[in-house]
Amino acid sequence: MAQAEQPARDVTTEVDGRVLGLTNLDKVLYPATGYTKAEVVSYYLQVAPTILPHVRDRAMTRLRYPDGVRYDEPREERGGSTPPPGGAFYEKNAPAGTPPWVPRQRVGTSDGVIDYVVVDEPATLVWLANLAALELHTPQWTISSGTAGADGVLDLPAEEPRPGEPLADRVVVDLDPGAGMSIVETARAALLVAGVMAADGLVPVPQSSGSKGIQVYAAIAPCRSRDAWAYTRRLNATMARSHPDLFVAAMSVEQRRGRIYVDHNQNLAARNTIAPYSLRGRERPSVATPVTWEEVGAVSAPEDLRFSPEDVLARLEEHGDLAADLLDEDRPPLPSAPVG
């Protein structure tokens, strides 16, 4: 059998009229499987029509792995500081050399003004993939719902309402399993949470995090991020009170052992969550994958909700976008308080 041809290290390509230089395409970004940058670029290009509606109009935080997945704890990049060689790092500011056609939005935060990248076309996804930006994270609010100041800066909302602040159009229930818990227990927790959300008039959409967690999203009529945070905070207390054997309301790592924590803080305007269909920087290439409630209910082993990029592309062919409800324009209002 002839040996498979290795991808070229450097090429120039065109994506929808944008000319891009791609480098080191044969670099292995997932050493455990030999998955290369060329395969990462290919995945993001193929998934672009599906992922773009979920990330467009949102400030994009990237988790970059310039020398591949090394299983280290990522460091958050601050003000463009240089990461240690081989270290993964979060990147919020647009990097040096950002193409002029890539949209950007300056956002005022407690850490100062951040110059975010906005991903609105396939070429931007390919450009980020070439930078080894494996993970894509976005907030629950949209840029267009806010009003930037005369200086072009869109200020994040504070605790008190402020005219022109960006609004959240979805709520996320991030189920964080403590020590000793697996995706099996997290799936059970997701079903219970979904029942409460549905009783509140929301349409819950489950997503496997690509690890052992599950997020439950729901589209909502635009509202203050603080209101979305308050709703999930009450939901956190409701679940811990109704099912103390499974949920815990405390943030303490020790108290969360053997329990599921509803991380309501992911709805704060300054926070972000993994985007649907984003790759994850895990030992093997996995994807944050929207799933069906039937799949959640059938979980019996950790592998049941773990999907490779190839799995996800095949699922899209078979099922379409299972997170399409998050894009529905007819969005229910956020309830004032969860039932129960």
Side-chain angles (χ1 to χ4, degrees):
M1 178 180 295
Q3 185 174 3
E5 183 178 350
Q6 292 296 314
R9 289 184 58 81
D10 303 298
V11 302
T12 299
T13 188
E14 184 175 314
V15 180
D16 293 343
R18 308 291 193 190
V19 177
L20 295 164
L22 305 181
T23 59
N24 299 324
L25 289 177
D26 57 352
K27 175 183 283 187
V28 174
L29 295 182
Y30 291 88
T33 63
Y35 203 80
T36 66
K37 185 195 284 189
E39 292 171 294
V40 169
V41 169
S42 176
Y43 168 73
Y44 273 122
L45 184 58
Q46 292 180 79
V47 85
T50 306
I51 192 176
L52 283 173
H54 293 286
V55 301
R56 186 179 285 124
D57 197 26
R58 301 183 193 271
M60 176 71 73
T61 296
R62 294 83 60 199
L63 180 47
R64 290 176 56 181
Y65 290 82
D67 287 317
V69 177
R70 298 288 183 87
Y71 323 126
D72 298 323
E73 284 295 318
R75 275 189 346 133
E76 184 161 1
E77 179 260 9
R78 297 281 184 181
S81 61
T82 303
F89 65 100
Y90 282 103
E91 182 178 63
K92 295 186 176 183
N93 282 295
T98 298
W101 45 265
V102 173
R104 291 148 77 160
Q105 176 60 55
R106 298 173 70 209
V107 177
T109 74
S110 59
D111 293 327
V113 176
I114 295 176
D115 187 22
Y116 278 104
V117 165
V118 182
V119 179
D120 65 353
E121 61 177 302
T124 310
L125 283 173
V126 172
W127 168 68
L128 289 175
N130 185 60
L131 296 178
L134 300 183
E135 295 194 9
L136 308 178
H137 298 248
T138 56
Q140 315 316 318
W141 51 267
T142 60
I143 294 170
S144 62
S145 66
T147 302
D151 56 0
V153 175
L154 181 65
D155 287 322
L156 287 186
E159 291 190 18
E160 295 300 319
R162 177 181 55 79
E165 66 180 272
L167 302 176
D169 68 350
R170 65 189 186 196
V171 65
V172 59
V173 178
D174 188 16
L175 299 172
D176 187 3
M181 305 295 275
S182 72
I183 192 71
V184 178
E185 291 81 18
T186 311
R188 178 189 165 206
L191 291 167
L192 293 170
V193 165
V196 175
M197 295 173 71
D200 282 340
L202 303 180
V203 180
V205 175
Q207 172 178 288
S208 169
S209 70
S211 182
K212 64 177 182 177
I214 293 176
Q215 290 98 24
V216 182
Y217 286 94
I220 54 174
C223 70
R224 299 192 68 236
S225 294
R226 198 73 184 179
D227 293 338
W229 171 83
Y231 171 77
T232 49
R233 185 184 185 192
R234 291 190 295 266
L235 181 59
N236 180 8
T238 296
M239 302 313 299
R241 183 174 61 251
S242 303
H243 305 278
D245 61 322
L246 185 60
F247 292 92
V248 63
M251 293 184 64
S252 164
V253 173
E254 186 57 38
Q255 288 178 283
R256 287 157 62 178
R257 182 180 298 275
R259 297 290 188 276
I260 305 291
Y261 176 65
V262 175
D263 190 352
H264 52 280
N265 287 328
Q266 295 305 313
N267 292 279
L268 290 172
R271 296 291 189 91
N272 52 73
T273 52
I274 191 73
Y277 303 105
S278 170
L279 285 166
R280 301 306 306 264
R282 300 294 186 262
E283 181 177 4
R284 297 176 177 274
S286 61
V287 175
T289 310
V291 295
T292 68
W293 284 113
E294 289 76 14
E295 288 177 306
V296 175
V299 169
S300 61
E303 296 75 24
D304 290 344
L305 291 185
R306 192 172 297 156
F307 303 99
S308 70
E310 293 74 23
D311 293 333
V312 169
L313 293 174
R315 287 169 62 83
L316 287 173
E317 287 286 334
E318 181 179 357
H319 303 295
D321 181 11
L322 291 176
D325 284 336
L326 298 180
L327 307 175
D328 195 339
E329 294 184 2
D330 184 17
R331 296 166 174 269
L334 186 71
S336 58
V339 298

